[in-house]
Coordinates of all heavy atoms in Angstrom, one line a residue:
M1 N 0.8 -1.2 0.0 CA 0.0 0.0 0.0 C 0.9 1.3 0.0 O 2.0 1.2 0.4 CB -0.9 0.0 1.2 CG -1.9 -1.1 1.3 SD -3.1 -1.0 -0.1 CE -4.0 0.5 0.3
V2 N 0.3 2.3 -0.5 CA 1.0 3.6 -0.5 C 1.0 4.2 0.8 O 0.0 4.4 1.5 CB 0.4 4.6 -1.5 CG1 1.1 5.9 -1.5 CG2 0.4 4.0 -2.9
K3 N 2.2 4.6 1.3 CA 2.4 5.2 2.6 C 2.4 6.7 2.4 O 3.2 7.2 1.6 CB 3.6 4.8 3.3 CG 3.9 5.4 4.7 CD 5.1 4.8 5.3 CE 5.4 5.5 6.7 NZ 4.3 5.3 7.6
V4 N 1.5 7.4 3.0 CA 1.4 8.9 2.9 C 2.1 9.6 4.1 O 1.8 9.3 5.2 CB -0.1 9.3 2.9 CG1 -0.1 10.9 2.8 CG2 -0.8 8.7 1.7
D5 N 3.1 10.4 3.7 CA 3.8 11.1 4.7 C 3.1 12.4 5.1 O 3.0 13.3 4.3 CB 5.2 11.4 4.2 CG 6.1 12.0 5.3 OD1 5.6 12.5 6.3 OD2 7.4 11.9 5.1
P6 N 2.6 12.5 6.3 CA 1.8 13.7 6.7 C 2.7 14.9 6.7 O 2.1 16.0 6.6 CB 1.3 13.3 8.1 CG 2.3 12.3 8.6 CD 2.7 11.5 7.4
R7 N 4.0 14.8 6.9 CA 4.8 16.0 6.9 C 4.9 16.6 5.6 O 4.8 17.9 5.4 CB 6.3 15.6 7.4 CG 6.4 15.2 8.8 CD 7.7 14.7 9.1 NE 8.1 13.6 8.3 CZ 9.3 13.0 8.3 NH1 10.2 13.5 9.0 NH2 9.5 12.0 7.5
H8 N 4.9 15.8 4.5 CA 5.0 16.4 3.2 C 3.6 16.9 2.7 O 3.5 17.9 2.1 CB 5.5 15.3 2.2 CG 6.9 15.0 2.3 ND1 7.5 14.0 1.7 CD2 7.9 15.7 3.0 CE1 8.8 14.0 2.0 NE2 9.1 15.0 2.8
T9 N 2.6 16.2 3.1 CA 1.2 16.7 2.7 C 0.9 18.1 3.4 O 0.2 18.9 2.8 CB 0.1 15.7 3.2 OG1 0.2 15.5 4.6 CG2 0.3 14.4 2.5
S10 N 1.5 18.3 4.5 CA 1.3 19.6 5.2 C 2.1 20.7 4.5 O 1.8 21.9 4.8 CB 1.6 19.5 6.7 OG 3.0 19.4 6.9
Q11 N 3.1 20.4 3.7 CA 3.9 21.4 3.1 C 3.7 21.5 1.6 O 4.3 22.3 0.9 CB 5.4 21.0 3.3 CG 5.8 20.9 4.7 CD 7.2 20.3 4.9 OE1 7.8 20.0 4.0 NE2 7.6 20.1 6.2
T12 N 2.8 20.6 1.1 CA 2.6 20.6 -0.4 C 1.3 21.3 -0.8 O 0.2 21.1 -0.1 CB 2.5 19.1 -0.9 OG1 3.7 18.5 -0.5 CG2 2.3 19.1 -2.4
C13 N 1.3 22.2 -1.8 CA 0.2 22.9 -2.2 C -0.8 21.9 -2.9 O -0.5 21.2 -3.9 CB 0.6 24.0 -3.2 SG -0.8 24.9 -3.9
S14 N -2.1 21.9 -2.4 CA -3.1 21.0 -3.0 C -3.6 21.5 -4.3 O -4.4 20.9 -5.0 CB -4.2 20.8 -2.0 OG -4.9 22.0 -1.7
R15 N -3.2 22.8 -4.7 CA -3.7 23.3 -5.9 C -2.7 23.1 -7.0 O -3.0 22.6 -8.1 CB -3.9 24.8 -5.7 CG -4.4 25.5 -7.0 CD -4.2 27.0 -6.9 NE -5.5 27.7 -7.1 CZ -5.5 29.1 -7.1 NH1 -4.5 29.8 -6.8 NH2 -6.7 29.7 -7.3
C16 N -1.4 23.4 -6.8 CA -0.4 23.3 -7.9 C 0.7 22.3 -7.6 O 1.4 21.9 -8.5 CB 0.3 24.7 -8.1 SG 1.5 25.1 -6.8
G17 N 0.7 21.7 -6.4 CA 1.6 20.6 -6.1 C 3.0 21.1 -5.6 O 3.9 20.3 -5.4
H18 N 3.2 22.4 -5.5 CA 4.5 22.9 -5.1 C 4.7 22.5 -3.6 O 3.8 22.6 -2.8 CB 4.6 24.4 -5.2 CG 5.8 25.0 -4.7 ND1 7.1 24.8 -5.3 CD2 6.1 25.8 -3.6 CE1 8.0 25.5 -4.6 NE2 7.4 26.0 -3.5
Q19 N 5.9 22.0 -3.3 CA 6.2 21.6 -1.9 C 7.4 22.4 -1.4 O 8.5 22.4 -2.0 CB 6.6 20.1 -1.9 CG 7.0 19.6 -0.5 CD 7.5 18.1 -0.6 OE1 7.0 17.3 -1.3 NE2 8.5 17.9 0.3
A20 N 7.2 23.0 -0.2 CA 8.2 23.8 0.4 C 7.8 24.0 1.9 O 6.6 24.2 2.2 CB 8.4 25.1 -0.3
R21 N 8.8 23.9 2.7 CA 8.5 24.2 4.2 C 7.9 25.6 4.4 O 7.1 25.8 5.3 CB 9.8 24.1 5.0 CG 10.3 22.6 5.2 CD 11.6 22.6 5.8 NE 11.7 23.4 7.0 CZ 12.8 23.7 7.7 NH1 13.9 23.3 7.2 NH2 12.7 24.4 8.8
Q22 N 8.3 26.5 3.5 CA 7.8 27.9 3.7 C 6.4 28.0 3.4 O 5.7 29.0 3.7 CB 8.6 28.8 2.8 CG 10.1 29.0 3.2 CD 11.0 27.9 2.7 OE1 10.5 26.9 2.1 NE2 12.3 28.0 2.9
N23 N 5.8 27.0 2.7 CA 4.3 27.1 2.4 C 3.5 27.0 3.7 O 2.4 27.6 3.8 CB 3.9 25.9 1.5 CG 4.4 26.1 0.1 OD1 4.8 27.2 -0.3 ND2 4.3 25.0 -0.7
R24 N 4.0 26.4 4.7 CA 3.3 26.3 6.0 C 3.6 27.5 6.8 O 4.7 27.6 7.5 CB 3.8 25.0 6.7 CG 3.0 24.7 8.0 CD 1.5 24.4 7.6 NE 0.8 24.0 8.9 CZ 0.7 22.8 9.3 NH1 1.3 21.8 8.7 NH2 0.0 22.5 10.4
R25 N 2.7 28.5 6.7 CA 3.0 29.8 7.4 C 2.9 29.7 8.9 O 3.6 30.4 9.6 CB 2.0 30.8 6.8 CG 2.1 31.0 5.3 CD 3.5 31.4 4.9 NE 3.9 32.7 5.5 CZ 4.5 33.6 4.8 NH1 4.9 33.3 3.6 NH2 4.8 34.7 5.3
S26 N 2.0 28.9 9.4 CA 1.8 28.7 10.8 C 1.1 27.4 11.1 O 0.9 26.6 10.1 CB 0.9 29.9 11.4 OG -0.4 29.7 10.9
Q27 N 0.8 27.1 12.3 CA 0.2 25.8 12.6 C -1.2 25.7 11.9 O -1.6 24.5 11.5 CB -0.1 25.7 14.1 CG -0.6 24.4 14.6 CD 0.4 23.3 14.3 OE1 1.6 23.5 14.3 NE2 -0.2 22.1 14.0
S28 N -1.8 26.8 11.6 CA -3.2 26.6 11.0 C -3.3 27.2 9.6 O -4.3 27.0 9.0 CB -4.2 27.4 11.9 OG -3.9 28.7 12.0
L29 N -2.3 27.9 9.1 CA -2.4 28.6 7.8 C -1.4 28.0 6.8 O -0.2 27.9 7.0 CB -2.2 30.1 8.0 CG -2.2 30.9 6.6 CD1 -3.6 30.8 6.0 CD2 -1.8 32.3 6.9
F30 N -1.9 27.6 5.6 CA -1.1 27.3 4.5 C -1.2 28.4 3.4 O -2.2 28.8 3.1 CB -1.6 25.9 3.9 CG -0.8 25.5 2.7 CD1 0.3 24.6 2.8 CD2 -1.1 25.9 1.4 CE1 1.0 24.2 1.7 CE2 -0.4 25.5 0.3 CZ 0.7 24.7 0.5
L31 N 0.0 28.8 2.9 CA 0.0 29.8 1.9 C 1.1 29.4 0.9 O 2.3 29.4 1.2 CB 0.3 31.2 2.5 CG 0.5 32.3 1.4 CD1 -0.8 32.5 0.6 CD2 0.8 33.6 2.1
C32 N 0.7 29.1 -0.3 CA 1.6 28.6 -1.4 C 2.5 29.8 -1.8 O 2.0 30.8 -2.2 CB 0.9 28.0 -2.5 SG 2.0 27.4 -3.8
R33 N 3.8 29.5 -1.9 CA 4.8 30.5 -2.3 C 4.7 30.7 -3.8 O 5.2 31.7 -4.3 CB 6.2 30.1 -1.9 CG 6.4 29.8 -0.4 CD 6.6 31.1 0.3 NE 8.0 31.6 0.0 CZ 8.5 32.7 0.6 NH1 7.8 33.3 1.5 NH2 9.7 33.1 0.2
V34 N 4.2 29.8 -4.5 CA 4.2 29.8 -6.0 C 2.9 30.4 -6.6 O 2.9 31.3 -7.3 CB 4.5 28.4 -6.6 CG1 4.3 28.4 -8.1 CG2 5.9 27.9 -6.2
C35 N 1.8 29.8 -6.2 CA 0.5 30.2 -6.8 C -0.3 31.1 -5.9 O -1.4 31.6 -6.3 CB -0.3 29.0 -7.3 SG -1.0 28.0 -5.9
G36 N 0.1 31.2 -4.6 CA -0.6 32.1 -3.7 C -1.9 31.5 -3.1 O -2.6 32.2 -2.4
F37 N -2.0 30.2 -3.3 CA -3.2 29.5 -2.7 C -3.1 29.5 -1.2 O -2.1 29.2 -0.6 CB -3.2 28.1 -3.3 CG -4.4 27.3 -2.8 CD1 -5.7 27.7 -3.1 CD2 -4.2 26.1 -2.1 CE1 -6.8 26.9 -2.6 CE2 -5.2 25.3 -1.7 CZ -6.5 25.7 -1.9
S38 N -4.2 30.0 -0.6 CA -4.3 30.1 0.8 C -5.4 29.4 1.4 O -6.6 29.5 0.9 CB -4.4 31.6 1.3 OG -4.4 31.7 2.7
V39 N -5.2 28.5 2.4 CA -6.3 27.7 2.9 C -5.8 27.2 4.3 O -4.6 27.3 4.7 CB -6.5 26.5 2.0 CG1 -5.4 25.5 2.0 CG2 -7.8 25.8 2.4
H40 N -6.8 26.8 5.1 CA -6.4 26.2 6.4 C -5.5 25.0 6.2 O -5.7 24.2 5.3 CB -7.7 25.7 7.1 CG -7.5 25.4 8.6 ND1 -6.9 24.3 9.0 CD2 -7.8 26.1 9.7 CE1 -6.8 24.3 10.3 NE2 -7.4 25.4 10.8
A41 N -4.4 25.0 7.0 CA -3.4 23.9 6.8 C -3.9 22.5 6.9 O -3.5 21.7 6.1 CB -2.3 24.1 7.9
D42 N -4.9 22.3 7.8 CA -5.4 21.0 7.9 C -6.3 20.6 6.7 O -6.3 19.4 6.2 CB -6.3 20.9 9.1 CG -5.5 20.9 10.4 OD1 -4.3 20.7 10.4 OD2 -6.1 21.2 11.5
V43 N -7.0 21.6 6.1 CA -7.8 21.3 4.9 C -6.8 21.0 3.7 O -7.1 20.0 3.0 CB -8.6 22.5 4.5 CG1 -9.3 22.3 3.2 CG2 -9.7 22.8 5.6
N44 N -5.7 21.8 3.6 CA -4.8 21.5 2.5 C -4.2 20.1 2.6 O -4.1 19.4 1.7 CB -3.7 22.6 2.6 CG -2.7 22.4 1.5 OD1 -2.9 22.6 0.3 ND2 -1.5 21.9 1.8
A45 N -3.8 19.7 3.9 CA -3.2 18.4 4.1 C -4.2 17.3 3.8 O -3.8 16.3 3.2 CB -2.7 18.3 5.5
S46 N -5.4 17.5 4.2 CA -6.5 16.5 3.9 C -6.7 16.3 2.4 O -6.9 15.2 2.0 CB -7.8 16.9 4.6 OG -7.6 17.0 6.0
R47 N -6.7 17.4 1.7 CA -6.8 17.3 0.2 C -5.7 16.5 -0.4 O -5.9 15.7 -1.3 CB -6.9 18.7 -0.4 CG -8.2 19.4 -0.1 CD -8.2 20.7 -0.8 NE -9.5 21.5 -0.6 CZ -9.8 22.7 -1.1 NH1 -8.9 23.3 -1.8 NH2 -10.9 23.2 -0.8
N48 N -4.5 16.8 0.1 CA -3.3 16.1 -0.5 C -3.4 14.6 -0.1 O -3.1 13.7 -1.0 CB -2.0 16.7 0.1 CG -1.7 18.0 -0.5 OD1 -2.0 18.3 -1.7 ND2 -1.1 18.9 0.3
I49 N -3.8 14.3 1.1 CA -3.9 12.9 1.5 C -5.0 12.2 0.6 O -4.8 11.0 0.2 CB -4.2 12.7 3.0 CG1 -3.0 13.2 3.8 CG2 -4.6 11.3 3.3 CD1 -3.3 13.4 5.3
A50 N -6.1 12.8 0.5 CA -7.2 12.2 -0.3 C -6.8 12.0 -1.8 O -7.1 11.0 -2.4 CB -8.4 13.2 -0.3
E51 N -6.1 13.0 -2.3 CA -5.6 12.9 -3.7 C -4.6 11.8 -3.9 O -4.7 11.0 -4.8 CB -4.9 14.2 -4.1 CG -4.6 14.3 -5.6 CD -5.9 14.5 -6.4 OE1 -6.7 15.4 -6.2 OE2 -6.0 13.7 -7.3
K52 N -3.7 11.6 -2.9 CA -2.8 10.5 -3.0 C -3.4 9.2 -2.8 O -3.1 8.2 -3.5 CB -1.7 10.7 -1.9 CG -0.7 11.8 -2.2 CD 0.4 11.8 -1.2 CE 1.5 12.9 -1.5 NZ 2.7 12.8 -0.7
H53 N -4.4 9.1 -2.0 CA -5.2 7.9 -1.7 C -5.9 7.5 -3.0 O -5.9 6.3 -3.4 CB -6.1 8.0 -0.6 CG -6.9 6.8 -0.3 ND1 -6.4 5.6 0.1 CD2 -8.3 6.6 -0.4 CE1 -7.3 4.7 0.2 NE2 -8.5 5.3 0.0
L54 N -6.6 8.4 -3.6 CA -7.4 8.1 -4.8 C -6.5 7.8 -6.0 O -6.8 6.9 -6.8 CB -8.2 9.3 -5.2 CG -9.4 9.6 -4.2 CD1 -10.1 10.9 -4.6 CD2 -10.4 8.4 -4.3
A55 N -5.3 8.4 -6.0 CA -4.3 8.1 -7.1 C -3.9 6.7 -7.0 O -3.7 6.0 -8.0 CB -3.2 9.1 -7.0
S56 N -3.7 6.2 -5.7 CA -3.3 4.8 -5.5 C -4.4 3.9 -5.9 O -4.1 2.7 -6.2 CB -2.9 4.6 -4.0 OG -4.1 4.6 -3.2
L57 N -5.6 4.3 -6.0 CA -6.7 3.5 -6.5 C -6.9 3.6 -8.0 O -7.8 2.9 -8.5 CB -8.0 3.9 -5.7 CG -8.0 3.7 -4.2 CD1 -9.3 4.2 -3.6 CD2 -7.7 2.2 -3.8
G58 N -6.2 4.4 -8.6 CA -6.3 4.5 -10.1 C -7.3 5.6 -10.5 O -7.7 5.6 -11.7
T59 N -7.7 6.5 -9.7 CA -8.6 7.6 -10.1 C -8.1 8.8 -9.4 O -7.1 8.9 -8.8 CB -10.0 7.2 -9.7 OG1 -10.9 8.3 -10.1 CG2 -10.1 7.1 -8.2
S60 N -8.8 9.9 -9.6 CA -8.5 11.2 -9.0 C -9.7 12.1 -8.8 O -10.8 11.8 -9.3 CB -7.5 12.0 -9.9 OG -8.2 12.4 -11.1
L61 N -9.5 13.1 -8.0 CA -10.7 14.0 -7.7 C -11.2 14.7 -8.9 O -12.4 14.9 -9.1 CB -10.2 15.0 -6.7 CG -10.0 14.5 -5.3 CD1 -9.4 15.6 -4.4 CD2 -11.2 13.9 -4.6
A62 N -10.3 15.0 -9.9 CA -10.7 15.7 -11.1 C -11.2 14.8 -12.2 O -11.9 15.3 -13.0 CB -9.4 16.5 -11.6
G63 N -10.9 13.5 -12.1 CA -11.2 12.7 -13.3 C -12.5 12.0 -13.2 O -13.1 11.7 -14.2
G64 N -13.1 11.7 -12.0 CA -14.3 11.0 -11.9 C -14.1 9.5 -12.1 O -12.9 9.1 -12.2
P65 N -15.1 8.7 -12.1 CA -15.0 7.3 -12.2 C -14.3 6.8 -13.5 O -14.6 7.4 -14.5 CB -16.4 6.7 -12.1 CG -17.3 7.9 -12.5 CD -16.5 9.1 -12.1
P66 N -13.5 5.8 -13.5 CA -12.9 5.3 -14.7 C -13.9 4.7 -15.7 O -14.9 4.1 -15.2 CB -11.9 4.2 -14.2 CG -12.5 3.8 -12.9 CD -13.1 5.0 -12.3
S67 N -13.7 5.0 -16.9 CA -14.6 4.5 -17.9 C -14.5 2.9 -18.0 O -13.5 2.3 -18.0 CB -14.2 5.1 -19.3 OG -15.0 4.5 -20.3
D68 N -15.7 2.3 -18.1 CA -15.8 0.9 -18.3 C -16.2 0.5 -19.7 O -16.5 -0.7 -20.0 CB -16.7 0.2 -17.3 CG -18.1 0.8 -17.3 OD1 -18.4 1.6 -18.3 OD2 -18.9 0.5 -16.5
G69 N -16.3 1.5 -20.6 CA -16.6 1.2 -22.0 C -18.0 1.1 -22.3 O -18.4 0.8 -23.5
L70 N -18.9 1.4 -21.4 CA -20.4 1.3 -21.7 C -20.8 2.4 -22.6 O -21.9 2.3 -23.2 CB -21.2 1.4 -20.3 CG -21.0 0.2 -19.5 CD1 -21.8 0.4 -18.2 CD2 -21.6 -1.1 -20.2
L71 N -20.1 3.5 -22.6 CA -20.5 4.7 -23.4 C -20.2 4.5 -24.9 O -20.8 5.1 -25.8 CB -19.9 6.0 -23.0 CG -20.3 6.4 -21.6 CD1 -19.6 7.7 -21.2 CD2 -21.8 6.6 -21.5
S72 N -19.4 3.5 -25.3 CA -19.0 3.3 -26.7 C -19.7 2.0 -27.1 O -19.8 1.0 -26.3 CB -17.5 3.2 -26.8 OG -17.0 2.1 -26.1
P73 N -20.1 1.9 -28.4 CA -20.7 0.7 -28.9 C -19.8 -0.5 -28.8 O -18.6 -0.4 -29.0 CB -21.1 1.0 -30.3 CG -20.2 2.1 -30.7 CD -20.0 2.9 -29.4
S74 N -20.3 -1.7 -28.5 CA -19.5 -2.9 -28.4 C -19.0 -3.3 -29.8 O -19.6 -2.9 -30.8 CB -20.3 -4.0 -27.8 OG -21.3 -4.5 -28.6
S75 N -18.1 -4.2 -29.9 CA -17.5 -4.6 -31.2 C -18.6 -5.4 -31.9 O -18.7 -5.4 -33.1 CB -16.3 -5.4 -30.9 OG -16.6 -6.6 -30.1
D76 N -19.5 -6.2 -31.1 CA -20.5 -7.0 -31.8 C -21.5 -6.1 -32.5 O -21.9 -6.3 -33.6 CB -21.2 -7.8 -30.7 CG -20.4 -8.9 -30.3 OD1 -19.4 -9.3 -31.0 OD2 -20.6 -9.5 -29.2
E77 N -21.9 -5.0 -31.9 CA -22.9 -4.0 -32.5 C -22.2 -3.4 -33.7 O -22.9 -3.2 -34.8 CB -23.3 -2.9 -31.5 CG -24.2 -3.5 -30.4 CD -24.5 -2.4 -29.4 OE1 -23.9 -1.3 -29.5 OE2 -25.4 -2.6 -28.5
G78 N -21.0 -3.0 -33.6 CA -20.3 -2.5 -34.8 C -20.2 -3.4 -35.9 O -20.4 -3.0 -37.1
Q79 N -20.0 -4.7 -35.6 CA -19.9 -5.7 -36.7 C -21.3 -5.9 -37.3 O -21.4 -6.0 -38.6 CB -19.4 -7.0 -36.1 CG -19.0 -8.0 -37.2 CD -18.3 -9.2 -36.6 OE1 -18.6 -9.6 -35.5 NE2 -17.3 -9.8 -37.2
A80 N -22.4 -5.9 -36.5 CA -23.7 -6.1 -37.1 C -24.1 -4.9 -38.0 O -24.7 -5.1 -39.1 CB -24.7 -6.1 -35.9
L81 N -23.7 -3.7 -37.6 CA -24.0 -2.5 -38.4 C -23.2 -2.7 -39.8 O -23.8 -2.3 -40.8 CB -23.6 -1.3 -37.7 CG -24.5 -0.9 -36.5 CD1 -24.0 0.3 -35.8 CD2 -26.0 -0.6 -37.0
A82 N -22.0 -3.2 -39.7 CA -21.2 -3.3 -40.9 C -21.9 -4.3 -41.8 O -21.9 -4.1 -43.1 CB -19.8 -3.7 -40.5
L83 N -22.4 -5.4 -41.3 CA -23.1 -6.4 -42.1 C -24.3 -5.9 -42.7 O -24.6 -6.2 -43.9 CB -23.4 -7.7 -41.2 CG -22.2 -8.5 -40.8 CD1 -22.7 -9.6 -39.8 CD2 -21.5 -9.1 -41.9
Q84 N -25.1 -5.1 -42.0 CA -26.3 -4.5 -42.5 C -26.0 -3.6 -43.7 O -26.7 -3.5 -44.7 CB -27.1 -3.7 -41.4 CG -27.7 -4.6 -40.4 CD -28.4 -3.8 -39.3 OE1 -28.3 -2.6 -39.3 NE2 -28.9 -4.5 -38.3
A85 N -24.9 -2.8 -43.5 CA -24.5 -1.9 -44.6 C -24.1 -2.6 -45.9 O -24.3 -2.1 -47.0 CB -23.3 -1.1 -44.1
Q86 N -23.7 -3.9 -45.7 CA -23.3 -4.7 -46.9 C -24.5 -5.5 -47.5 O -24.4 -6.2 -48.4 CB -22.2 -5.7 -46.5 CG -20.9 -5.0 -46.1 CD -19.9 -6.0 -45.5 OE1 -20.1 -7.2 -45.6 NE2 -18.8 -5.5 -45.0
G87 N -25.7 -5.3 -46.8 CA -26.9 -6.0 -47.4 C -27.0 -7.4 -46.9 O -27.7 -8.2 -47.5
L88 N -26.2 -7.8 -45.8 CA -26.3 -9.2 -45.3 C -27.2 -9.3 -44.1 O -27.2 -10.2 -43.5 CB -24.9 -9.6 -44.9 CG -23.9 -9.6 -46.1 CD1 -22.5 -9.9 -45.6 CD2 -24.3 -10.6 -47.1
Ligands
LIG101 ZN1 0.4 26.4 -5.2

């Protein structure tokens, strides 16, 4: 399993991914030095942990559920349509 280091999650921007000790302005405030993202430090760390956990499962907060192919026609349907087009 993926081990999440809480020290790094508390120093990593959950918006742009920049990691620096300076991002952690105080016990309760996170402020990214790169993109200026400001949020409660615990909220930022929680987002990073959730993102890493979901990434280990093969998905992400931004991506949604992985496609299982139901939205595209099956190969059998495509073959049937091809046969109909040929008059068979
Ligand atoms: Zn940032």
Side-chain angles (χ1 to χ4, degrees):
M1 296 298 292
V2 177
K3 181 175 175 60
V4 178
D5 189 337
R7 291 173 301 174
H8 287 169
T9 58
S10 68
Q11 299 169 4
T12 301
C13 177
S14 63
R15 182 199 235 180
C16 75
H18 177 69
Q19 179 188 322
R21 283 173 54 193
Q22 290 83 355
N23 286 348
R24 187 66 177 270
R25 302 302 295 221
S26 70
Q27 184 63 32
S28 61
L29 178 63
F30 179 93
L31 178 60
C32 180
R33 303 275 292 182
V34 173
C35 72
F37 181 59
S38 179
V39 70
H40 193 285
D42 290 341
V43 174
N44 181 70
S46 296
R47 288 183 180 180
N48 286 328
I49 292 171
E51 189 71 53
K52 288 188 176 187
H53 178 64
L54 290 174
S56 70
L57 298 177
T59 183
S60 70
L61 291 175
S67 173
D68 56 8
L70 289 178
L71 293 179
S72 61
S74 69
S75 59
D76 288 340
E77 288 176 352
Q79 193 170 36
L81 290 174
L83 291 174
Q84 287 175 4
Q86 295 172 9
L88 298 175

